[in-house]
Amino acid sequence: MTVLPEPAASRAVLIGTSRYDHLEPLPAVANNLRALAAALCAPHAWGLAPEHCTVIENPGSAVEVLDAVRAAAEEATDALLVYVAGHGLVEQRRGELFLSLTGSVRQRSYTGLAYATLRDVVLDGRARRRVMLLDCCLSREVPGFVDGVEALIDRSAIEGACLLAAVPDNSFAFAPPGEPHTAFTGELLRLLNDGVPGGPEPLDLETVYARVYAALGARGRPLPHKRDGGTAGGLALAHNVAPAGPVFGPPAPPYAPGQAPPPPPPGPPSTPPPSGPLSGPLSTPPPGPLSGPPPPGPLSGPPPSGPPSTPPPSGPPSTPPPGPLSGPPATPPPGWPPAFAPGPAPLPAAAPGGGPGRRRVLVRSAVAAAVAAGLLAAGIPLVNGWMGDDSGKEPAAHKSPTATSSPKPAPAPAPEYNDAAHGVVNPSRAKGGTLKFVGRLDADSWDPQRGYYGYVWNFSRYFTRQLVTYAPKQGHDGAELVPDLAAGKAEVSDDGKTYTYTLRDGITWEDGSAITSEDVKYGIERAWAPDVISGGPAYLQQVLDPKGTYKGPYKDDELGLKSIKTPDSKTITFHLAKPNGDFEHMLAMPAGSPVPRAKDTKDDYGKRPFSSGPYKFGAYRPGTSLELVRNTAWKQKSDPIRTALPDRITVDFVGNDSARSSGLLSGRYDVDLEPTTLSKDAVAKALHTDKLKSRLDNPYTLGIRYLALPRTVKPFDNIHCRKAVVHAADRRSVQTAFGGPAASGEIATNMLPPGIAGADPTDDPYDVVKNGGKADIAQAKKELEACGKPNGFRTTLVVSGSRPDELSGAESLQSSLASVGIKVDIKQIGFADYYRTVGTPSVVKKKGYGIIVQRWLGDFPTGQGFLQPLADGRFITPSGNFNVADLDDESINGLFDKAIAEQDPRKSGEVYAQINRRISDAAAYVPLVFMKSYSWRGPRLTNVYTSDAYSGGYDFASLGVTG
């Protein structure tokens, strides 16, 4: 009988090394530890108490590991689970396994922890059942190491314990590039998260092992090994989360159509060879119910189309395959060798978490809090009915008032993963219902002239309008500017310095009064009163009043800003100091919204802005909730942009990432105010559950992560030293540390992301794509010779301490730069001080911060909005500086002037492409990834699509709901 160990009487110790002083970093190991810790403590998996799960990340000594394992072994009376991941070392003469520590050195096994010693500590404990999970990489440890794996596993077996091990002999098989987890642990997590439809409850280890074995085999990956000391039979570590029930039709094979089937675990020595050619898709059933093709790996596609390299299973060809949901087979599967028997259950998936570097005492003290925050995102039905939407009952759509008895059209295909990044999901004109947002933070201000958060600009269009705005179209087309309050685009004259608009008819405030050109002018003028209206963007001030002569509407006479004229109530003219082809992008910001002078409550205006859009403020409790209700004075015929489908819109502000994400996945909320803040645990769960995955989108954000190399810090005043870093940076490893290509983005070859005018994906001056994202060691060494530092140099890399993935990326960079002699000391700075510190050039120079990890999103999708703050030397400021690399090149500055004055977007894009190439030539920045992120698309949402105008977020103004 399969039973779950008693959680109160069991213990777990999770050990992993992702960061090394002398070995290749393995950032996926850090992700493994966090996922397993959250999953072991999840009630739907095992329910281990957080204080009974010890995590040891990047141990520096054997004693640190052994003390923790001994403590757990003495406390456990039912089950003890020990998980180890990282590089493995082999003592060559005796063939014994050593587990790596942060200071381990290849071919020097004594620098690691002897597995035999760890085994002795496990055996000395009181646990009735013991489970060892080994996920070790033997990359280049033993030349020609192939046939020795079985012997190594045999020597690692523990009397009275079950051992499940994966020991691939190369790092790519161990941790496939772009995947957040190692291959072996990733399959364990995926299996337990999806369960086995119709399989046993709880999942027995025989079923688990067979499924993982088949899945890895079908993908051509190294197969796991199992040894059982005789006491773990019948043990399980997780419930089977898949629904039980009959399945009709023939069983699906456990491999992709057209493939040769993967082999079962090795049969006993006496198993006869096949009697003839295989007669069907599966001649001999593998152990356990294999109900279908193995799920694809995280962030990857279907299994390879070619057959696996392992031989087909042996057995009579006439043996029928087992039914996928029929439970255990009527006759037992082929016998296993004495060493093979039911092994330990893997752990359900959580998500990649924080970066490496924490020690056991820190992690163990934080496990309770981390797990409490992670249980919701890991799939635990606490308060909000987690996964309530998986009952199969979909929300009903509104019935059409003109419905007839005519035949119903064929239903549209069900939305799939990333559909909203390529088109419109669930198009509908149906009105009604409540659209439910959830947000991490309240707005910095709902005052249109003060707000600067990107999601605030998007959401504000419910109650604000501008002369022009962005088109309600998907993707790059959404960055097109179209008339809003204006009847048409501007009439541009005076060589691009004068813009004239005529307001459209029927535009009104929420009290029914007409919106006038004077209202538009007054709203814009409010931004000139920073002592009262602070915090918003300053673009309009820079182009309309570059000398700052106007003092704002609260100190000025009735004439107002002289560069804006309103000859009548429907005409407004702007006189720019000099041409700027992006002026209308600036007017499209909320800062260009009208405000009626009589309704201006100055500093309090953000608490109850007066509406010019289809909704107006209802109840608002700052920091807690916001309600928008219909503005009955708004007329659809006066607004070609906003659909105004919902009757009501609500926002709850929930600071806890796990609680917010669980509310989204359970259906309590429809969409996040910040679509990119879905917790990593929730993303991991959704990716491993087909129905949830179909509601994820993975758009580009039009942002970039990069390194800045300040030219004021030696030796980066020498371009060749900067180029040495450009060539030595292993972007592929950094991408993995950031979470993989879907979670973090595609490897960047230059500083201009896709979607920005002038971007050229083929622009790869340092052959990053040609090198597969890996470091170009030979070229880096040539640059070091050229800069007079043939043996390398030492510098300090600074990174935000609040972003664990960026810390992991920094450690990966530290390792790759060390390969050419560039020694990097990592300095973490708290989020509250980070941008203030790196944005002060004098501090950067004084502290010697030679490499600065940054991320950037432009305020509007043009080269001026994206590149100029980073690369125009005239933008370098004593504080609040964004040109952290101190790039000041007169030729680049002059090209910015040329591009900005150009009225033709195509021609200006060509100039920005030139600027981008010159930035690359200067080697002031090291582009790492063009950012992507995951967004959750609730099942009730209609008209869902991503827009480049809102950094790849959903166009809120077009959303509706069903039900």
Side-chain angles (χ1 to χ4, degrees):
M1 177 182 177
T2 302
V3 294
L4 284 171
E6 172 56 43
S10 301
R11 300 291 185 271
V13 183
L14 312 182
I15 308 154
T17 307
S18 61
R19 175 174 53 81
Y20 295 91
D21 298 333
H22 308 290
L23 303 177
E24 179 185 3
L26 299 172
V29 169
N31 300 337
N32 289 357
L33 294 177
R34 282 152 180 77
L36 294 184
L40 280 172
C41 299
H44 80 290
W46 186 6
L48 196 66
E51 61 270 22
H52 295 162
C53 179
T54 301
V55 177
I56 311 173
E57 186 173 348
N58 296 321
S61 70
V63 173
E64 181 180 356
V65 175
L66 297 174
D67 281 349
V69 174
R70 179 174 295 282
E74 291 173 349
E75 295 172 2
T77 56
D78 188 348
L80 171 65
L81 180 144
V82 178
Y83 168 89
V84 183
H87 283 294
L89 308 173
V90 178
E91 198 285 320
Q92 307 236 2
R93 284 174 295 182
R94 294 185 297 275
E96 294 180 356
L97 177 65
F98 282 69
L99 306 174
S100 62
L101 305 170
T102 55
S104 294
V105 179
R106 198 175 304 284
Q107 304 295 327
R108 299 179 186 178
S109 59
Y110 57 82
T111 60
L113 165 62
Y115 176 78
T117 304
L118 177 65
R119 176 176 56 196
D120 291 343
V121 173
V122 169
L123 287 173
D124 287 344
R126 299 188 298 155
R128 185 166 55 92
R129 293 177 287 189
R130 306 174 182 90
V131 176
M132 293 290 298
L133 302 177
L134 295 184
D135 195 358
C136 296
C137 173
L138 298 179
S139 177
R140 300 190 300 275
E141 178 57 23
V142 180
F145 190 74
V146 177
D147 296 332
V149 171
E150 289 286 346
L152 184 69
I153 297 298
D154 286 338
R155 283 188 289 272
S156 301
I158 302 178
E159 181 68 27
C162 179
L163 168 69
L164 185 61
V167 285
D169 59 2
N170 69 81
S171 60
F172 283 91
F174 175 75
E179 297 188 13
H181 301 294
T182 61
F184 170 68
T185 300
E187 292 296 347
L188 291 174
L189 294 170
R190 184 177 305 105
L191 171 66
L192 269 296
N193 202 42
D194 288 345
V196 178
E201 165 52 34
L203 283 177
D204 62 80
L205 298 174
E206 181 174 344
T207 300
V208 169
Y209 177 56
R211 295 285 297 190
V212 172
Y213 191 101
L216 289 171
R219 304 185 71 191
R221 293 181 172 178
L223 300 174
H225 303 262
K226 177 187 283 288
R227 299 293 185 267
D228 181 21
T231 64
L235 178 65
L237 291 181
H239 293 287
N240 185 358
V241 300
V247 169
F248 301 95
Y255 46 84
Q259 289 184 318
S270 59
T271 301
S275 59
L278 296 175
S279 61
L282 185 62
S283 297
T284 303
L290 298 173
S291 63
L299 316 181
S300 70
S305 58
S309 58
T310 47
S314 60
S318 59
T319 305
L325 299 185
S326 59
T331 57
W336 293 1
F340 281 73
L347 312 172
R358 301 180 187 176
R359 286 293 182 260
R360 173 180 60 88
V361 65
L362 296 176
V363 174
R364 188 169 187 177
S365 65
V367 162
V371 170
L375 291 184
L376 286 169
I380 315 308
L382 296 181
V383 178
N384 297 329
W386 180 270
M387 292 291 291
D389 56 343
D390 275 354
S391 64
K393 183 179 179 181
E394 292 291 338
H398 285 290
K399 293 183 179 180
S400 168
T402 58
T404 68
S405 60
S406 58
K408 296 181 179 179
E416 297 183 358
Y417 173 77
N418 210 28
D419 270 2
H422 304 289
V424 180
V425 173
N426 297 331
S428 173
R429 297 190 180 191
K431 292 183 178 287
T434 298
L435 173 59
K436 302 174 182 178
F437 283 86
V438 64
R440 179 169 57 102
L441 297 169
D442 200 344
D444 49 346
S445 176
W446 294 116
D447 184 325
Q449 275 74 43
R450 299 182 70 175
Y452 215 144
Y453 292 169
Y455 68 86
V456 173
W457 289 7
N458 193 353
F459 189 87
S460 291
R461 292 180 307 139
Y462 284 129
F463 55 88
T464 68
R465 297 180 65 179
Q466 297 78 39
L467 289 169
V468 292
T469 190
Y470 292 104
K473 298 178 182 179
Q474 197 279 326
H476 182 63
D477 291 340
E480 175 191 356
L481 287 165
V482 294
D484 186 0
L485 289 173
K489 295 287 289 296
E491 178 184 332
V492 182
S493 59
D494 190 22
D495 295 325
K497 293 192 293 184
T498 300
Y499 287 69
T500 300
Y501 297 91
T502 299
L503 301 189
R504 67 171 75 239
D505 295 331
I507 52 177
T508 60
W509 291 106
E510 65 177 80
D511 62 0
S513 61
I515 298 172
T516 68
S517 58
E518 290 85 358
D519 295 333
V520 177
K521 177 181 180 181
Y522 180 78
I524 293 173
E525 288 175 336
R526 296 175 74 245
W528 269 257
D531 54 331
V532 180
I533 309 300
S534 61
Y539 293 103
L540 291 173
Q541 293 97 303
Q542 293 166 3
V543 299
L544 293 172
D545 183 27
K547 295 181 180 180
T549 58
Y550 180 55
K551 302 306 178 184
Y554 309 132
K555 298 179 181 179
D556 186 57
D557 57 26
E558 293 297 320
L559 293 178
L561 181 62
K562 293 179 174 59
S563 56
I564 304 179
K565 303 296 183 182
T566 55
D568 57 58
S569 63
K570 297 195 67 174
T571 305
I572 184 168
T573 300
F574 299 88
H575 297 279
L576 282 61
K578 55 185 178 180
N580 193 309
D582 290 336
F583 178 62
E584 289 196 294
H585 284 282
M586 301 170 190
L587 287 177
M589 296 177 179
S593 303
V595 172
R597 185 185 294 268
K599 298 294 183 179
D600 184 8
T601 54
K602 300 183 180 180
D603 186 47
D604 289 332
Y605 190 72
K607 298 177 182 177
R608 179 58 172 85
F610 203 59
S611 177
S612 57
Y615 298 92
K616 61 183 180 180
F617 268 47
Y620 177 38
R621 298 170 58 204
T624 302
S625 63
L626 170 64
E627 176 193 40
L628 299 183
V629 297
R630 285 197 182 276
N631 171 12
T632 56
W634 173 85
K635 304 177 184 65
Q636 179 73 74
K637 64 181 180 181
S638 75
D639 191 339
I641 306 300
R642 298 158 185 80
T643 59
L645 297 179
D647 287 335
R648 180 170 167 263
I649 299 169
T650 62
V651 185
D652 285 349
F653 302 111
V654 179
N656 182 282
D657 288 350
S658 296
R660 187 177 65 258
S661 296
S662 98
L664 286 164
L665 270 65
S666 69
R668 180 177 181 182
Y669 301 112
D670 299 307
V671 64
D672 199 328
L673 267 180
E674 298 175 82
T676 62
T677 63
L678 194 65
S679 76
K680 290 184 177 181
D681 287 347
V683 168
K685 182 168 185 64
L687 285 173
H688 294 90
T689 309
D690 289 344
K691 188 170 183 179
L692 298 182
K693 183 177 180 179
S694 69
R695 296 170 189 159
L696 282 179
D697 292 303
N698 187 217
Y700 282 102
T701 67
L702 277 72
I704 188 171
R705 291 192 190 187
Y706 61 94
L707 307 177
L709 309 177
R711 302 192 302 175
T712 56
V713 178
K714 291 183 179 297
F716 294 120
D717 55 339
N718 186 310
I719 189 172
H720 295 289
C721 288
R722 299 197 299 271
K723 286 187 175 181
V725 173
V726 175
H727 286 294
D730 187 334
R731 293 165 177 80
R732 180 68 66 188
S733 179
V734 172
Q735 180 193 51
T736 300
F738 283 167
S744 66
E746 298 295 339
I747 290 176
T749 58
N750 57 72
M751 287 295 292
L752 206 52
I756 306 292
D760 180 2
T762 67
D763 183 15
D764 187 8
Y766 293 97
D767 292 331
V768 173
V769 173
K770 179 181 178 180
N771 295 325
K774 305 296 285 184
D776 187 341
I777 302 299
Q779 192 60 40
K781 289 182 176 179
K782 288 181 181 179
E783 296 293 348
L784 286 173
E785 290 278 356
C787 82
K789 303 283 185 180
N791 297 320
F793 53 85
R794 181 177 292 277
T795 190
T796 298
L797 180 151
V798 63
V799 64
S800 172
S802 65
R803 290 175 173 153
D805 58 340
E806 291 189 356
L807 177 59
S808 295
E811 291 170 336
S812 177
L813 283 164
Q814 182 185 49
S815 177
S816 65
L817 296 181
S819 65
V820 297
I822 301 175
K823 301 175 179 63
V824 173
D825 299 316
I826 295 176
K827 169 71 174 177
Q828 298 183 59
I829 300 177
F831 180 78
D833 297 321
Y834 187 73
Y835 289 101
R836 177 177 56 81
T837 300
V838 301
T840 305
S842 61
V843 173
V844 171
K845 181 178 180 180
K846 180 179 179 180
K847 298 288 188 179
Y849 294 154
I851 304 177
I852 299 173
V853 181
Q854 291 277 75
R855 60 174 67 193
W856 181 255
L857 289 139
D859 285 341
F860 44 93
T862 73
Q864 179 181 185
F866 191 88
L867 280 181
Q868 192 174 29
L870 303 180
D872 191 326
R874 296 164 296 186
F875 278 58
I876 298 173
T877 57
S879 62
N881 178 43
F882 295 116
N883 187 344
V884 178
D886 195 54
L887 178 57
D888 189 3
D889 184 312
E890 289 186 5
S891 67
I892 291 176
N893 299 346
L895 285 173
F896 274 118
D897 291 340
K898 180 180 178 180
I900 290 168
E902 178 58 61
Q903 297 295 305
D904 184 336
R906 181 186 60 81
K907 292 181 179 178
S908 65
E910 292 173 354
V911 180
Y912 287 123
Q914 295 179 45
I915 295 172
N916 190 30
R917 284 191 288 273
R918 295 200 184 191
I919 293 172
S920 296
D921 292 342
Y925 294 107
V926 183
L928 297 175
V929 295
F930 292 134
M931 293 166 61
K932 298 179 75 175
S933 65
Y934 289 109
S935 300
W936 175 257
R937 174 182 7 100
R940 298 195 317 138
L941 291 179
T942 62
N943 300 330
V944 196
Y945 56 87
T946 62
S947 172
D948 283 4
Y950 304 104
S951 301
Y954 300 132
D955 183 348
F956 291 163
S958 294
L959 295 177
V961 291
T962 60

